[in-house]
Amino acid sequence: SALGEPSLFVGWLWGLWLYLAWLGGGYTAVSIFGALVWGAIFAIGAKAIVTNIERDLPGGESFSRKAVLATVLVTTSISFQFLVGRAVLRAEATMYLAWVVAVYLSAGIAEHKQRRRRFLFVVPLLSWSLGWLHTTSIFMVVLLVGHLLQAGVDAMRAPLAGGFKKFAKTDLRAWLLAICAAAALPCLNPNGVEQALPLITDLARNLHGIMLGERADASEQVVHINLEYRRLVDVPLVWSIAILFLVSSLVVVWQDRPRRVINAVLLAVG
């Protein structure tokens, strides 16, 4: 994956998987393993969508489910063509795999206690399995926090079931423990801490300098850190399309009343 050059990647689990595949069958097994991982990413993502649709459309509507599933699979397979350069034998696959597993587990947890327990237990482990403090690990924490807020709102809406006081006595501790675990477990990998701390300190130093007006060059790097983003901003109609996307997303969040809080949190963070 490093074009024949020796390299070290801090995502230890991905490197271990590749090495075991190579021991089992050389580069052929490594290629098959990569294909299986991406197949699992697509399959689990599709299953998460089906789970959401089955919850929202109980007892039938099979044509609607199949149509939505087919549309999503076609769209994601086309999108994959643009990602394939960063997908072949790269550790990003573990990010996408962990992400779709977390999204699948989060489908319908409000009405399903067993699914909620799996969600609270597995999501911190997914964050740990990434092995480094990456944005996906942060996403795991955000996902837990968003669902915690949603669970609190749901509890306040159900006074006959004990309301928020009962939720605070019975479930709040488990939620907070899962959030702390998702934030702390990646730090157990020394490589993860070694990668994250310089990024955090450099970012804090640059932001402080920008606010004081001392680092104009740093602000240019922060705002235009990737030339591709600058090119995107220069595309005609990009802002009108972005506004249309934002408004449409807000409409979807507002209409999806049972999950309005978690959807709003994820949209704001995204």
Side-chain angles (χ1 to χ4, degrees):
S1 61
L3 300 178
E5 297 296 328
S7 65
L8 172 67
F9 191 81
V10 294
W12 65 270
L13 187 60
W14 174 255
L16 176 62
W17 284 347
L18 282 185
Y19 182 62
L20 292 176
W22 182 78
L23 288 179
Y27 289 112
T28 300
V30 169
S31 297
I32 294 174
F33 168 75
L36 290 175
V37 169
W38 276 101
I41 291 170
F42 275 73
I44 297 171
K47 179 62 176 176
I49 294 168
V50 171
T51 301
N52 275 317
I53 296 171
E54 288 178 345
R55 180 198 55 220
D56 295 337
L57 301 174
E61 305 281 352
S62 59
F63 175 76
S64 176
R65 289 198 294 269
K66 293 177 181 178
V68 172
L69 178 59
T71 302
V72 170
L73 286 176
V74 170
T75 304
T76 52
S77 62
I78 293 173
S79 303
F80 178 73
Q81 304 309 313
F82 297 93
L83 291 172
V84 69
R86 294 186 61 83
V88 179
L89 303 181
R90 290 182 65 96
E92 283 93 328
T94 53
M95 300 181 339
Y96 300 123
L97 183 61
W99 183 70
V100 295
V101 170
V103 170
Y104 169 65
L105 289 173
S106 69
I109 64 172
E111 300 85 8
H112 200 300
K113 290 185 177 180
Q114 185 177 2
R115 180 181 288 273
R116 186 163 62 246
R117 285 195 293 268
R118 289 200 299 264
F119 175 79
L120 291 176
F121 180 75
V122 174
V123 167
L125 293 181
L126 290 173
S127 181
W128 166 75
S129 69
L130 293 170
W132 76 105
L133 292 173
H134 197 277
T135 49
T136 307
S137 299
I138 299 173
F139 172 80
M140 298 298 175
V141 178
V142 171
L143 195 65
L144 285 163
V145 171
H147 277 291
L148 168 60
L149 296 175
Q150 182 70 65
V153 171
D154 293 340
M156 288 187 290
R157 291 174 179 169
L160 296 179
F164 185 79
K165 288 185 178 180
K166 183 178 180 180
F167 170 78
K169 291 180 179 179
T170 57
D171 296 342
L172 183 59
R173 185 179 301 175
W175 281 100
L176 295 178
L177 181 61
I179 292 171
C180 293
L185 283 175
C187 300
L188 295 179
N189 179 0
N191 289 329
V193 178
E194 183 179 350
Q195 182 194 32
L197 288 181
L199 294 176
I200 296 172
T201 54
D202 288 346
L203 178 61
R205 192 181 304 113
N206 285 336
L207 290 177
H208 183 261
I210 292 169
M211 295 179 66
L212 296 179
E214 300 172 353
R215 297 289 300 276
D217 56 334
S219 64
E220 179 70 14
Q221 295 174 15
V222 171
V223 174
H224 296 301
I225 195 168
N226 192 322
L227 287 176
E228 295 298 327
Y229 296 146
R230 187 183 303 182
R231 293 171 187 165
L232 178 63
V233 173
D234 293 336
V235 173
L237 301 179
V238 66
W239 291 113
S240 58
I241 295 173
I243 293 172
L244 177 62
F245 174 78
L246 176 61
V247 172
S248 302
S249 301
L250 292 174
V251 170
V252 171
V253 169
W254 184 259
Q255 292 295 328
D256 190 12
R257 295 178 182 274
R259 295 180 298 275
R260 186 176 292 172
V261 175
I262 177 64
N263 288 339
V265 169
L266 295 181
L267 176 62
V269 173

